Amino acid sequence: MAASAQHAEHDHAHHPAPAAAAHAVEAVPAVDAAIVAAVASSHRSPANVARDTYRHPAETLAFFGVGAADTVVELYPGGGWYTEILAPLTKASGRFYAAAPWKSLAGIQQKASETPDIYGAIQFAEFPATGANPSVTPDSADVVLTFRNVHNWRFGPAANPAKAFEDIYAMLKPGGVLGVVEHRLNEDADSALEQSSGYMKESSVIAYAVAAGFKLDARSEINANPRDTKNHPKGVWTLPPSLSLKDVDRDKYLAIGESDRMTLRFIKPAQ
């Protein structure tokens, strides 16, 4: 797997590392030319490009060490925001899996069918695997990426987040990387908010990963947003892009922007 660039480390005053995440915050990494080209590609939808200012795809993928020759798994790709970047990035020399409950992959499968020159190499995998459909082979992935999914696992049965991290661990090669971006709840907030607000504490996410066998490798503030107070009437969905209150205080929430997000890099230890 292509390694991320070596970065200077620094402290970050607004979001101090929680005790469970006693790890230095890394500076914004240098970005490989292949990632720059994939992010700049003209096939990306204008609506998705408009969100780059909040999602920082080039810097985020560089921080996770994603390379064009890697085997990359994107969990729950949804409408394909990151898929628009990852599929062409890996098409020539790598391998890209879109992994989710099988029925929810229909939109990405249609995209692959309609635009095979860009998305035709995508491999589809069921996650969590049931055995009824293809899945990611154990110990085969260089990188697994999950963007704002952990809170959804937390909403379900108590065992769901632990099982998800265990399944991710199984699909990665020893030395492989798990990259997590998630809405960030303040560490001193009531943990019950994780079951309703869409926000998660960094310490909670780290605990799930460590329990599954991962080692926290680095943290980044690439996707931080200090304007996000995280006390919104309808949780994280009050903010863009959802704007669940519609026209109520719309300008206020647009001014805040998208959520404050943790960006965590985990390693599956070499065996």
Side-chain angles (χ1 to χ4, degrees):
M1 182 187 67
S4 58
Q6 297 298 314
H7 326 304
E9 295 185 343
H10 63 87
D11 294 326
H12 193 281
H14 184 73
H15 296 292
H23 207 286
V25 176
E26 286 200 0
V28 176
V31 182
D32 184 81
I35 293 176
V36 172
V39 170
S41 178
S42 61
H43 75 271
R44 295 184 64 209
S45 74
N48 286 349
V49 172
R51 296 181 64 198
D52 285 1
T53 187
Y54 300 115
R55 302 195 68 174
H56 311 101
E59 297 86 350
T60 299
L61 294 178
F63 174 72
F64 291 146
V66 177
D70 287 343
T71 294
V72 180
V73 180
E74 181 187 3
L75 300 181
Y76 293 78
W81 197 96
Y82 259 101
T83 305
E84 284 190 351
I85 299 167
L86 292 166
L89 174 66
T90 56
K91 184 179 179 184
S93 56
R95 179 176 294 180
F96 175 68
Y97 286 91
W102 196 252
K103 289 184 178 179
S104 72
L105 291 169
I108 303 297
Q109 289 170 334
Q110 181 177 353
K111 187 186 288 279
S113 176
E114 293 175 349
T115 320
D117 57 321
I118 298 172
Y119 304 110
I122 295 176
Q123 299 192 39
F124 297 96
E126 188 176 43
F127 181 87
T130 66
N133 296 291
S135 60
V136 178
T137 303
D139 299 318
S140 66
D142 295 297
V143 185
V144 175
L145 301 172
T146 175
F147 300 103
R148 306 189 333 265
N149 291 312
V150 182
H151 68 276
N152 290 317
W153 303 335
R154 184 74 170 82
F155 287 167
N160 278 10
K163 179 64 163 57
F165 279 93
E166 290 167 2
D167 290 349
I168 295 167
Y169 189 90
M171 66 176 68
L172 277 165
K173 298 174 181 177
V177 170
L178 165 61
V180 178
V181 177
E182 181 56 85
H183 310 295
R184 178 164 49 189
L185 186 65
N186 293 343
E187 287 295 318
D188 59 357
D190 184 350
S191 294
L193 290 169
E194 293 183 335
Q195 294 181 288
S196 61
S197 69
Y199 291 94
M200 294 287 299
K201 293 183 181 182
E202 273 194 28
S203 58
S204 297
V205 174
I206 292 167
Y208 283 125
V210 170
F214 287 103
K215 176 185 176 182
L216 177 64
D217 186 53
R219 301 164 57 247
S220 175
E221 293 300 297
I222 293 168
N223 296 300
N225 180 0
R227 295 184 301 276
D228 182 9
T229 59
K230 309 165 191 184
N231 59 351
H232 314 301
K234 292 194 174 183
V236 72
W237 302 279
T238 309
L239 299 177
S242 297
L243 292 170
S244 57
L245 295 180
K246 300 186 185 300
D247 290 334
V248 176
D249 292 328
R250 183 182 181 90
D251 289 343
K252 169 186 172 180
Y253 295 118
L254 285 173
I256 292 172
E258 296 194 16
S259 67
D260 175 55
R261 294 163 188 168
M262 66 185 85
T263 305
L264 306 174
R265 187 173 74 228
F266 297 95
I267 298 290
K268 177 177 179 175
Q271 297 171 347

